[in-house]
Amino acid sequence: MDWIAVDWGTSALRAWGIGGNGAVLWAEHSADGMGGLSVDDFEPAFLKLVGQHLPETGKIDVIACGMVGARQGWVEANYRAVPCLPLDPDMTRAPTDDPRLRFRIISGLCQDAPADVMRGEETQIAGFQSLNPTFDGVLCLPGTHTKWVQVSAGEVVSFQTFMTGDMFAALSAHSVLRHSVQTDGWDAKAFTAGVDDAVSRPEKLAARLFSLRAEGLLHGMPPATARARLSGLLIGAELAAARPYWLGQAIAIIGASSLSTSYANALAGLGVTATIADGDAMVLKGLAAARAQTSEVTS
């Protein structure tokens, strides 16, 4: 093992042991996300997950991205203002008691106006760029907080965050709509209809949301239809607001397969073709790029 790659988010911790040839030697996962840890819990949580893989002596480099570097994380990593390259070899060192660990955290990115921040996505962007070095266009990174990112000449030029995933989770679990959408089923036609409705009339979103409940009560709308239409309405409203980012641009979507496919299908309905890149693969590529930059600086 040459070093350890870490993606430490709000709800999960993932780590990979990387060999000298870049091969993944092992992978570990736990639910010890940043959101459930105090500052003194981070090192014990990390050692609990990967301790069996650590050498008995010597130091091992750990390169981490994500919310581990948030203000509520292990140690706050700085934000770098765009436009800038997605990665900076000057990373933040996390304090450790175990002498074997050299734990460093990748900086996030920020934008002054309109105010916006990202942590973790910059690493996925760097991973995508390592495979597509000449890409100029827009990257969509769907998730709890979806990012639309303009990249040009290798730099992140601007970005905008949409709380679409948060809104879907809140509405489906903590609003009156929870009675209408409790299912794992899916209705593709209802999703497309929701996207089209919200893109054409985003100002009607709040009313269209309540109609999901009413149609269930009055017309027996199936939960799978209501759930898919809810997703379509929210993503459609996002696409309407993000139109300056995707209209007439080369688009790539980076994220989990199912959600990325939903965004690609929504864009396709608007006449826009997008390519999809696996989010986990881009994280590993980006962490490897950060490690390579650090090695060049310290060598």
Side-chain angles (χ1 to χ4, degrees):
M1 183 173 62
D2 186 45
W3 62 287
I4 299 174
V6 173
D7 179 14
W8 206 329
T10 302
S11 59
L13 163 60
R14 299 184 298 167
W16 300 267
I18 311 298
N21 61 354
V24 175
L25 305 179
W26 50 263
E28 301 287 358
H29 172 275
S30 81
D32 286 326
M34 178 278 294
L37 302 176
S38 67
V39 67
D40 294 328
D41 294 333
F42 282 89
E43 186 173 2
F46 182 69
L47 290 173
K48 178 182 176 182
L49 183 67
V50 308
Q52 70 272 25
H53 300 294
L54 295 178
E56 292 185 4
T57 59
K59 284 191 176 291
I60 188 76
D61 280 324
V62 184
I63 307 296
C65 69
M67 295 303 290
V68 65
R71 186 164 299 174
Q72 297 79 21
W74 191 340
V75 62
E76 185 175 10
N78 68 307
Y79 287 113
R80 298 165 50 240
V82 298
C84 64
L85 296 172
L87 296 179
D88 184 352
D90 185 18
M91 291 181 277
T92 299
R93 184 80 175 264
T96 56
D97 293 324
D98 193 309
R100 297 171 295 176
L101 298 179
R102 188 185 292 114
F103 198 107
R104 285 171 286 190
I105 303 171
I106 295 172
S107 301
L109 301 184
C110 67
Q111 179 176 272
D112 185 56
D116 215 328
V117 295
M118 70 167 71
R119 284 200 188 279
E121 292 90 355
E122 77 292 322
T123 306
Q124 291 182 310
I125 293 167
F128 180 85
Q129 288 182 331
S130 72
L131 298 176
N132 304 274
T134 62
F135 179 85
D136 272 28
V138 170
L139 301 175
C140 173
L141 297 96
T144 303
H145 301 147
T146 297
K147 311 285 185 182
W148 288 85
V149 185
Q150 181 188 5
V151 296
S152 180
E155 290 190 330
V156 174
V157 178
S158 67
F159 63 98
Q160 189 167 16
T161 303
F162 294 82
M163 292 179 61
T164 305
D166 251 347
M167 292 172 65
F168 181 86
L171 288 168
S172 60
H174 302 292
S175 78
V176 68
L177 297 183
R178 70 187 185 278
H179 304 298
S180 303
V181 300
Q182 295 306 309
T183 179
D184 293 328
W186 189 256
D187 183 333
K189 290 183 178 180
F191 173 80
T192 300
V195 171
D196 292 343
D197 192 1
V199 168
S200 61
R201 288 173 289 185
E203 74 279 3
K204 297 284 188 179
L205 177 63
R208 294 292 186 262
L209 291 175
F210 187 77
S211 71
L212 298 176
R213 177 60 176 162
E215 288 193 44
L217 292 171
L218 299 177
H219 306 303
M221 177 187 284
T225 299
R227 185 176 184 84
R229 191 171 175 190
L230 170 61
S231 177
L233 286 168
L234 294 175
I235 291 176
E238 176 187 321
L239 292 177
R243 192 186 301 271
Y245 274 89
W246 55 261
L247 188 63
Q249 299 288 327
I251 307 293
I253 302 171
I254 304 173
S257 176
S258 59
L259 188 55
S260 294
T261 298
S262 292
Y263 271 78
N265 289 340
L267 286 166
L270 301 173
V272 178
T273 300
T275 60
I276 295 177
D278 179 72
D280 288 348
M282 295 307 100
V283 166
L284 275 173
K285 289 288 185 182
L287 289 166
R291 161 69 172 172
Q293 284 190 4
T294 303
S295 298
E296 290 173 1
V297 170
T298 57
S299 62

